[in-house]
Amino acid sequence: MKILYSNDKNFDIEFDKLINRSNLDMQNVMGIVTNIIEDIKKRGDEALNEQIAKFDHWEVKSNLAITRCEMKNAYDSISDELKESLQVAFERIKRYHEKQLEKTWLSFEDDGSILGQKITAVDRAGLYIPGGKAAYPSSLLMNAVPAIVAGVKDIVVCTPAVGCEVNELLLAAMHLLGINEAYKVGGASAVGAMAYGTKTIKKVDVITGPGNIFVATAKKLVFGDVNIDMIAGPSEIGVIADNSANPHHIAIDLLSQAEHDEIASSFLVTFDADFANKVKDEIYNLLPTLSRQNIARASIENKSAIIVAKDMDESIELMNALAVEHLEIATDNAFDFLPRIKHAGAIFLGHFTPEAIGDYLAGPNHTLPTGGSARFFSPLGVGNFMKKSSIISMNKASIDRLGRDCMNLAKAEGLGAHELSVKVRYEN
């Protein structure tokens, strides 16, 4: 794992590479994904079944749907302890997202006009739940709960089922959440089917959830025909720490993201060179103990870095530039620095707040902007499953007050019918 020093003459060049980590190589898969989606648009289920046979290696001989019976059997088979943990996660995530609910509002103006905003849930939401290198029941909770809280009528789950097998814990989580519609299909095929519909899978209004580069590219291509949450890339963590932190703990936290994927990123920024080297040593001591050590090692050595800054001010400046998905501030006075953090998907404060607690049951959503997109994207939330309609009502008094100005603006833009539509009400 490389250690970069901010006072090195080549630091800016190396740091720019870290900032530009979001350059997903979509161009290499764009043609493949476009063909997948276009085939689904033309041939529907027939194309979908062929793609499942090709990519997931099983023949669709009956329905793609996952039955409620499969979900319940899986739930019944897991331990009571695991059921309780799922329930705790569900309740905490639900309580947090209930605080995000917006309400319809009206404003009554002095001239009699009424202005406002109507908040409405989308009718159908499609949730993409990965199933590649690992199974992620937690991703189902994080995507389904805000949709449930928003009041979405139909929630559709798609997840890859290599060899027709779906992870038991994921099925159990579907049962807990009351999912009624789920399908064994993944990748760009799932995104295309949800976006445009087939005989089996009806079109949705919004697609959320993380995935690999094929999923990310597909979401980018269908955006506009449906809404999406964000274009998510590989997982990442950034840690700002001083020597009050435990190097062993920080090393584990950095590895917690590295074990996700070979192209995941882990960054430590500190102004203590001795602490930086201690963390690096701990990482290499821990790597051989991990079940996914080969994945984690590739991430640590190719996509990650420890940065030694000159002081805390520069540490914060550098981390804001990285705009990471998960940010830990591991200092004794972590809350003092919170106002200065501008760009991060989720912020974890203090020595006893590992990123993993947010992945599962702290409450806030773990579907977060990656690759620096925290500069302009927000975490998944209830708002992703709702839409806003403006409300406008005028009476004669308000038209008399505003009509002349409105006509002037319409006339200046050369839109005569606009001007006339106000004029006939203004003059009567």
Side-chain angles (χ1 to χ4, degrees):
M1 187 177 192
K2 56 181 173 280
I3 298 181
L4 307 177
Y5 294 82
S6 66
N7 58 2
D8 282 352
K9 63 179 182 179
N10 293 324
F11 176 75
D12 290 345
I13 295 172
E14 293 298 319
F15 189 66
D16 281 346
K17 293 177 184 176
L18 303 182
I19 290 177
N20 294 320
R21 69 196 181 279
S22 63
N23 291 337
L24 292 174
D25 195 8
M26 287 187 176
Q27 207 56 44
N28 286 340
V29 303
M30 188 69 73
I32 297 171
V33 174
T34 299
N35 289 338
I36 288 171
I37 292 173
E38 289 301 317
D39 200 21
I40 288 173
K41 288 167 72 174
K42 290 175 184 176
R43 300 193 298 128
D45 281 344
E46 185 181 356
L48 195 59
N49 293 348
E50 288 177 8
Q51 291 165 16
I52 289 169
K54 179 179 180 180
F55 298 116
D56 288 343
H57 313 296
W58 61 280
E59 297 289 336
V60 181
K61 296 179 180 178
S62 58
N63 203 311
L64 282 174
I66 299 169
T67 66
R68 288 287 300 158
C69 183
E70 288 177 89
M71 299 176 198
K72 185 177 187 305
N73 288 342
Y75 183 79
D76 290 342
S77 71
I78 65 174
S79 68
D80 290 342
E81 185 178 23
L82 200 46
K83 287 174 186 172
E84 184 177 347
S85 296
L86 281 173
Q87 188 67 36
V88 168
F90 169 69
E91 290 173 0
R92 290 185 62 88
I93 295 165
K94 186 169 181 284
R95 279 200 303 272
Y96 179 88
H97 285 83
E98 284 172 342
K99 294 179 173 66
Q100 296 180 339
L101 271 171
E102 292 187 72
K103 296 180 180 179
T104 295
W105 58 269
L106 294 173
S107 173
F108 298 87
E109 307 294 314
D110 292 340
D111 60 11
S113 60
I114 302 171
L115 306 175
Q117 185 170 262
K118 187 176 187 298
I119 309 293
T120 312
V122 300
D123 291 331
R124 282 176 64 80
L127 315 182
Y128 184 83
I129 309 303
K133 289 187 168 62
Y136 298 106
S138 58
S139 288
L140 177 64
L141 286 166
M142 294 294 182
N143 281 263
V145 170
I148 292 168
V149 170
V152 177
K153 180 182 176 184
D154 297 323
I155 298 173
V156 182
V157 174
C158 283
T159 188
V162 177
C164 199
E165 295 295 322
V166 179
N167 177 266
E168 186 179 67
L169 189 53
L170 179 57
L171 291 171
M174 289 184 195
H175 175 76
L176 173 67
L177 292 164
I179 299 298
N180 292 312
E181 191 175 350
Y183 301 97
K184 300 174 183 178
V185 55
S189 306
V191 175
M194 289 191 286
Y196 299 108
T198 71
K199 185 177 180 181
T200 299
I201 303 175
K202 294 179 182 178
K203 174 180 168 62
V204 302
D205 302 306
V206 59
I207 298 173
T208 71
N212 62 20
I213 193 165
F214 292 91
V215 172
T217 304
K219 286 171 70 177
K220 186 170 185 175
L221 288 172
V222 304
F223 176 60
D225 292 323
V226 293
N227 198 6
I228 63 170
D229 50 352
M230 64 189 82
I231 307 294
S235 190
E236 59 193 33
I237 186 173
V239 180
I240 297 174
D242 59 18
N243 59 14
S244 68
N246 185 320
H248 184 67
H249 293 178
I250 301 305
I252 294 172
D253 293 353
L254 294 171
L255 288 169
S256 73
Q257 293 309 291
E259 72 177 355
H260 270 296
D261 197 301
E262 292 91 343
I263 56 175
S265 298
S266 299
F267 305 117
L268 167 64
V269 182
T270 182
F271 51 91
D272 187 318
D274 183 54
F275 180 80
N277 281 288
K278 287 180 180 177
V279 171
K280 180 177 178 178
D281 289 343
E282 289 286 350
I283 286 172
Y284 281 97
N285 288 336
L286 286 162
L287 269 171
T289 71
L290 301 180
S291 60
R292 297 163 66 86
Q293 66 167 299
N294 291 336
I295 292 172
R297 186 180 297 274
S299 165
I300 286 295
E301 295 185 347
N302 300 322
K303 296 292 182 178
S304 305
I306 296 173
I307 299 170
V308 180
K310 63 182 180 183
D311 53 26
M312 180 57 87
D313 288 342
E314 187 178 52
S315 297
I316 293 171
E317 180 184 343
L318 293 171
M319 193 59 80
N320 276 328
L322 289 169
V324 292
E325 178 187 17
H326 309 97
L327 170 60
E328 292 184 8
I329 303 179
T331 65
D332 286 337
N333 53 340
F335 270 90
D336 291 351
F337 304 113
L338 181 59
R340 297 168 60 188
I341 301 300
K342 297 192 297 182
H343 309 304
I347 305 167
F348 302 78
L349 299 163
H351 296 306
F352 291 91
T353 319
E355 179 278 330
I357 200 76
D359 274 349
Y360 295 105
L361 48 64
N365 211 285
H366 82 193
T367 303
L368 301 165
T370 63
S373 64
R375 295 189 306 274
F376 47 85
F377 271 130
S378 301
L380 181 71
V382 172
N384 291 97
F385 299 97
M386 308 194 85
K387 53 195 175 62
K388 301 171 183 177
S389 302
S390 301
I391 299 170
I392 306 164
S393 176
M394 298 280 162
N395 60 15
K396 186 64 172 70
S398 49
I399 281 289
D400 286 346
R401 185 170 76 88
L402 299 172
R404 175 57 59 187
D405 292 325
C406 187
M407 287 187 288
N408 288 340
L409 293 169
K411 185 175 182 179
E413 292 189 351
L415 298 174
H418 282 64
E419 179 187 3
L420 186 60
S421 72
V422 177
K423 187 176 182 180
V424 295
R425 292 169 171 83
Y426 180 77
E427 292 183 341
N428 289 336

